[in-house]
Amino acid sequence: MMKNAWRFFLIGECLLFVFALWQLVHNIPLVILFFLGVGSIFIVTKKENEKKRTLQVIGAIFIVIALVNNFAIWLMLLFAILFIGIKGVEISGVQLFQKNWLKKKKIMMVETIEPTAHASEKIKKTWIGDSRIGSEIFEWNDIVLSIVAGDTIIDLGNTLLPKKENTIVIRKLFGKTRILVPAGIGIKLQQNSFLGTVTFEDEAIQLKNEELIIYSTDYDDSQRKLHILSTNCVGEIEVIRV
């Protein structure tokens, strides 16, 4: 498991590095600045004079300026910080996602009410970080998530889906998604991944720049249906029955 995680990290960093090179060669001023910096450092290493240190500092500044103006470099740093932070928590023994609570799921009665008029609302959402929907009983509304990086859990055991096709839309660059669906709900999963894994009804499917459309065995006969549309760059999605 640890080797797979580091392999995923290296592949992600390599892809971002290629993207960084592509951005660099398409920005002529940054290319010139970068090679001026490299040239300054390389030339002064061959010479011994009183201006050596000054030229080295100027060359280093040129290189830094060229790099910090490259968006892909910031993505590489962000990805590395997130990955090392998450792995550090795992190594320290802190469990972010306990599996025991899945086995000890409590039965809760969801009280239904007559439909009411809905007012417009604006909800602020985060781009980075772990999130969980459904820790407590909540009224169902179609879910739309857009996340740069982070793990997500959606627990539908604490809500009641209407007798129609309900929708969950997830757009994510990096991270794992876990959706808990009660029995009796027909599921349609539509997943697009550059590099990822889909776990659906105890079947694991690898995707490499592919789209997967898969249905649960009870989809056609179910009154309550769930349509999951998920798109990610690198990551994993699990659909689990509870």
Side-chain angles (χ1 to χ4, degrees):
M1 190 67 179
M2 182 68 73
K3 291 182 179 179
N4 291 336
W6 284 105
R7 187 180 299 117
F8 160 73
F9 172 71
L10 292 176
I11 291 174
E13 288 291 325
C14 288
L15 291 174
L16 290 173
F17 180 71
V18 172
F19 181 42
L21 290 179
W22 182 85
Q23 282 196 320
L24 184 64
V25 298
H26 284 77
N27 192 322
I28 301 303
L30 290 184
V31 172
I32 296 173
L33 198 63
F34 180 80
F35 282 105
L36 280 176
V38 173
S40 298
I41 294 176
F42 178 76
I43 291 173
V44 297
T45 56
K46 301 297 183 179
K47 297 182 178 181
E48 292 292 340
N49 56 57
E50 57 184 13
K51 296 183 178 180
K52 177 179 179 179
R53 184 177 299 276
T54 302
L55 290 175
Q56 286 179 329
V57 172
I58 293 174
I61 291 174
F62 284 171
I63 294 174
V64 170
I65 292 174
L67 293 178
V68 298
N69 281 279
N70 191 318
F71 178 69
I73 296 296
W74 289 103
L75 285 180
M76 290 179 66
L77 292 174
L78 177 61
F79 182 51
I81 292 171
L82 289 172
F83 180 85
I84 294 172
I86 293 172
K87 295 308 294 182
V89 170
E90 292 180 0
I91 294 172
S92 66
V94 178
Q95 298 295 324
L96 294 178
F97 302 106
Q98 295 286 351
K99 294 185 179 180
N100 293 334
W101 64 272
L102 287 173
K103 299 178 181 178
K104 299 178 181 179
K105 187 76 175 177
K106 294 187 295 182
I107 298 177
M108 294 185 179
M109 299 301 295
V110 179
E111 183 180 353
T112 60
I113 60 174
E114 291 296 325
T116 58
H118 289 79
S120 301
E121 59 179 338
K122 184 178 181 181
I123 302 173
K124 180 70 174 179
K125 297 184 178 181
T126 59
W127 289 7
I128 299 174
D130 299 339
S131 60
R132 179 167 177 172
I133 298 173
S135 299
E136 300 177 353
I137 295 175
F138 67 101
E139 179 185 1
W140 170 258
N141 285 301
D142 288 345
I143 297 173
V144 179
L145 297 176
S146 298
I147 302 172
V148 175
D151 293 342
T152 306
I153 290 181
I154 301 175
D155 185 358
L156 303 183
N158 288 330
T159 190
L160 182 63
L161 271 63
K163 293 181 179 180
K164 63 174 186 177
E165 183 171 271
N166 305 276
T167 305
I168 296 177
V169 180
I170 302 172
R171 306 181 189 94
K172 183 184 295 189
L173 285 181
F174 307 101
K176 181 176 181 179
T177 302
R178 179 179 294 171
I179 303 175
L180 311 177
V181 184
I185 298 176
I187 306 171
K188 175 185 177 181
L189 173 62
Q190 188 172 349
Q191 173 69 24
N192 289 272
S193 288
F194 178 73
L195 184 63
T197 304
V198 175
T199 302
F200 187 85
E201 294 194 337
D202 298 325
E203 180 183 2
I205 304 170
Q206 298 288 332
L207 297 180
K208 297 180 180 179
N209 197 23
E210 296 171 301
E211 179 182 16
L212 172 69
I213 301 176
I214 190 169
Y215 298 83
S216 62
T217 54
D218 60 347
Y219 181 81
D220 292 327
D221 299 327
S222 299
Q223 291 183 319
R224 294 181 171 88
K225 301 179 187 294
L226 178 65
H227 187 186
I228 304 171
L229 298 97
S230 175
T231 302
N232 67 0
C233 182
V234 179
E236 178 182 355
I237 181 170
E238 289 183 86
V239 180
I240 303 172
R241 291 288 192 181
V242 293

